[in-house]
Amino acid sequence: MTHFFYQTIKNILKWNNSVSFLFLMSTIVFFSVSCSEKKKQEEKLIPHSNTYAKGFEITEFESFKKITVFNPWEQANKISIDYYLFQKGSRIPDSLKNKNIIFTPVQRIVCLSTSHVAFIDAVNESEKVVGVSGLKYVSSLKIRERIDEGLVVDVGYGQNLNYELLLKQKPELVMVYGIDSEVSNHIRKMEDLGINVIMNAEYLEETPLGKAEWIKFIGCLFEKETVASDFFQSVEQEYLYYKNLPKPVSEQPKVIVGLPFKDSWWVPGGNSYFAHLIEDAGGDYIGKNNDSHESYVISFENALIWASQATVWLNVGGVFSKPEILSSDERFKKFNVFNEGRIFNNNLKMNQQGGNDFWESGAVYPNKVLKDLIKVFYPKQLTEVKFEYYREIGNSKK
C-alpha cells in the first residue's frame, strides 16, 4: 500500500494542474483516513492479563474473543492452541474460517473432568451440562439432579470414550483435559465427527488462585464474563485475607502428605498447587525442597524419615480411621506422626458413589480449602469456622 501511495503521488505531480492538485489532496486524505481506521481497529484489540493463571490468555477484539491455551498437558513445551469465540449469528471472517470457532453462549456442553463441572456451577450454568466423564464421581447437587432426570449421561474418557453417545447428546462444545499428548488423538476424532472441542488445563496451574482464575475462561463460553470476574475477586479477597493472618511461628507444623498406592508413594512437588496451599496456610511442607510443580514418587524408607519429623499428616487416601491406615500397611505403626501427630483427610464431602468434592469444587474455592488447613495447623485459630473438606482421622470412623 505504501508503494502504491507514493507511486500515485509521483504520477499526479507529473500532471501539474489544479485538478491534479485537488486529486492529490483527496488521495492524501483517503490514505490518512484509511491508516487512521486501521490504527483505530488495532486499538480495539485488548489482551486481558491474568493475575495468577499461566495456562490461558483472553484477547478481546471488536467482534470476537480469542482464548489461547498454553501447554495443556503434562510435559508439553511451547504448545499453544487458539480458540475464537463469536456470538451466535455472527459472520466469520474468511481469515478465520479454518480456525477453532466456538459460538457463544454455549447451550449444551460435555465436561470430561468433574472440576470443570464445579466451574460451570459457579457461573450458574449447570443446566447447560449434558454429559460428563465419571458420572458417579460428580458431587454437584445441581448436576446430580440432572443425572437423575436422565439429562446428563456418562460419555466415558480416553480409550473408553463413547463417541456414539456423545453425538446423541448433540453438544455444542466438549471440554477436555489431557494427561499427555495422547489426548490429541481423541480430539482429532471428535473434530472429524463434527464436534467442537476446547482444552482446559486448570489442573496444571501451580498456585491455588491460578486454578481458581480459570473461572474467567469458563465465563467467556457462556458470556458470563462479569459474573466470573466478580466471583474470582471474592475468592481472591478472602484467600489473601486468611493467607495474611498472623500465625504463631513457634507452633508451625511440619507436614507430610499422601499414602502409598500400589507400592508407589506419590507426593506433591515443592512448587505445586498443594505445596503452595500448605505454605499459605502456615505449614512447613517437608517436601518443599523439590522444585517440581508435578507429583513425584518417594520410597517408603524416605517416607519413614519424613514421618519421623512430621507433626501433621494430610490426604491419606480414602480412609476414615487409623485402623484402615494400618490395614493397608502395618509398617505405619513405625510412623511417629501416626502415633503422636495429627492426621487429617480431605474426604469430608464424599457422595454415596465415592466421589470426593475436594477434587471437584476445591479447585474453585481455594479460600475454603485454605481455611480448613489453617484450622488443621493452628487449632486455636478459626474456632468459629467449620471444616468444609477435611476431617480428623482417629481410631474409629466418625
Side-chain angles (χ1 to χ4, degrees), residues 52 209 212-213 215-216 228-236:
Y52 306 94
L209 289 175
E213 198 166 16
I215 192 76
K216 297 176 182 178
S229 182
D230 290 347
F231 177 90
F232 177 72
Q233 187 176 34
S234 67
V235 168
E236 178 192 27

Side-chain angles (χ1 to χ4, degrees), residues 181-377:
S181 58
E182 280 295 311
V183 70
S184 301
N185 296 328
H186 304 303
I187 290 174
R188 195 175 300 112
K189 184 166 184 178
M190 282 187 273
E191 290 175 340
D192 288 343
L193 292 170
I195 299 172
N196 254 1
V197 180
I198 191 168
M199 290 286 293
N200 183 324
E202 55 81 18
Y203 85 99
L204 291 171
E205 291 290 340
E206 298 174 5
T207 65
L209 289 175
K211 273 180 179 281
E213 198 166 16
W214 278 75
I215 192 76
K216 297 176 182 178
F217 170 96
I218 298 295
C220 284
L221 303 178
F222 300 97
E223 297 185 4
K224 288 285 193 72
E225 291 90 345
T226 301
V227 172
S229 182
D230 290 347
F231 177 90
F232 177 72
Q233 187 176 34
S234 67
V235 168
E236 178 192 27
Q237 287 176 349
E238 186 170 78
Y239 188 96
L240 294 177
Y241 171 79
Y242 284 101
K243 173 186 174 180
N244 294 322
L245 278 181
K247 302 171 185 75
V249 177
S250 60
E251 298 176 22
Q252 185 181 41
K254 289 190 174 296
V255 183
I256 187 173
V257 179
L259 197 71
F261 178 72
K262 294 182 179 179
D263 297 326
S264 296
W265 191 310
W266 290 89
V267 297
N271 199 31
S272 67
Y273 154 82
F274 199 70
H276 284 122
L277 263 173
I278 293 172
E279 179 184 4
D280 291 347
D284 182 12
Y285 175 45
I286 295 177
K288 65 185 178 184
N289 291 332
N290 178 291
D291 62 1
S292 174
H293 69 273
E294 299 174 0
S295 295
Y296 64 101
V297 177
I298 62 172
S299 66
F300 191 91
E301 291 71 22
N302 200 8
L304 189 60
I305 295 171
W306 286 16
S308 67
Q309 305 168 22
T311 55
V312 172
W313 189 3
L314 297 175
N315 300 6
V316 286
V319 307
F320 294 86
S321 67
K322 282 187 170 183
E324 288 180 86
I325 294 177
L326 291 180
S327 68
S328 66
D329 198 317
E330 284 289 325
R331 291 179 294 175
F332 290 131
K333 284 183 178 178
K334 300 177 182 179
F335 277 32
N336 184 63
V337 70
F338 178 84
N339 296 306
E340 299 179 21
R342 301 167 66 227
I343 306 173
F344 282 82
N345 208 2
N346 57 351
N347 61 354
L348 180 60
K349 296 174 72 174
M350 300 279 291
N351 67 24
Q352 294 180 346
Q353 290 77 32
N356 185 345
D357 194 37
F358 177 87
W359 304 113
E360 187 171 317
S361 69
V364 188
Y365 295 98
N367 49 324
K368 295 180 179 181
V369 179
L370 184 69
K371 284 191 286 186
D372 273 13
L373 292 180
I374 292 173
K375 195 172 172 63
V376 168
F377 298 160

Side-chain angles (χ1 to χ4, degrees), residues 150-177:
L151 299 173
V152 178
V153 301
D154 193 334
V155 299
Y157 187 77
Q159 299 297 331
N160 297 316
L161 192 61
N162 188 329
Y163 294 99
E164 183 179 354
L165 185 57
L166 191 58
L167 284 169
K168 283 183 179 179
Q169 291 304 100
K170 299 179 180 178
E172 294 179 356
L173 188 65
V174 176
M175 191 178 300
V176 307
Y177 75 97

Side-chain angles (χ1 to χ4, degrees), residues 6-121:
Y6 284 111
Q7 188 62 44
T8 301
I9 293 175
K10 184 177 178 181
N11 292 334
I12 290 171
L13 290 174
K14 290 179 180 179
W15 301 345
N16 193 24
N17 57 41
S18 59
V19 174
S20 64
F21 177 77
L22 289 174
F23 186 78
L24 172 61
M25 290 299 100
S26 63
T27 302
I28 292 173
V29 169
F30 170 79
F31 279 103
S32 297
V33 170
S34 297
C35 293
S36 176
E37 283 298 313
K38 183 179 179 184
K39 183 178 181 182
K40 185 178 178 182
Q41 289 176 7
E42 289 173 349
E43 287 173 350
K44 288 183 179 179
L45 183 147
I46 307 168
H48 294 271
S49 58
N50 297 322
T51 307
Y52 306 94
K54 298 178 180 178
F56 76 97
E57 179 182 77
I58 299 169
T59 306
E60 188 169 350
F61 292 78
E62 184 178 9
S63 60
F64 64 91
K65 291 183 177 68
K66 182 177 77 171
I67 296 180
T68 305
V69 178
F70 304 104
N71 298 324
W73 56 78
E74 292 182 5
Q75 308 301 326
N77 185 34
K78 296 182 179 179
I79 293 173
S80 64
I81 307 174
D82 293 329
Y83 302 94
Y84 297 85
L85 278 54
F86 286 84
Q87 281 192 325
K88 290 178 178 177
S90 299
R91 187 186 70 81
I92 308 302
D94 292 340
S95 60
L96 297 179
K97 283 187 176 177
N98 293 323
K99 305 294 185 179
N100 298 312
I101 305 296
I102 297 169
F103 289 103
T104 63
V106 173
Q107 297 296 324
R108 297 178 67 81
I109 188 168
V110 170
C111 303
L112 300 190
S113 169
T114 57
S115 66
H116 301 168
V117 168
F119 281 95
I120 294 173
D121 253 359

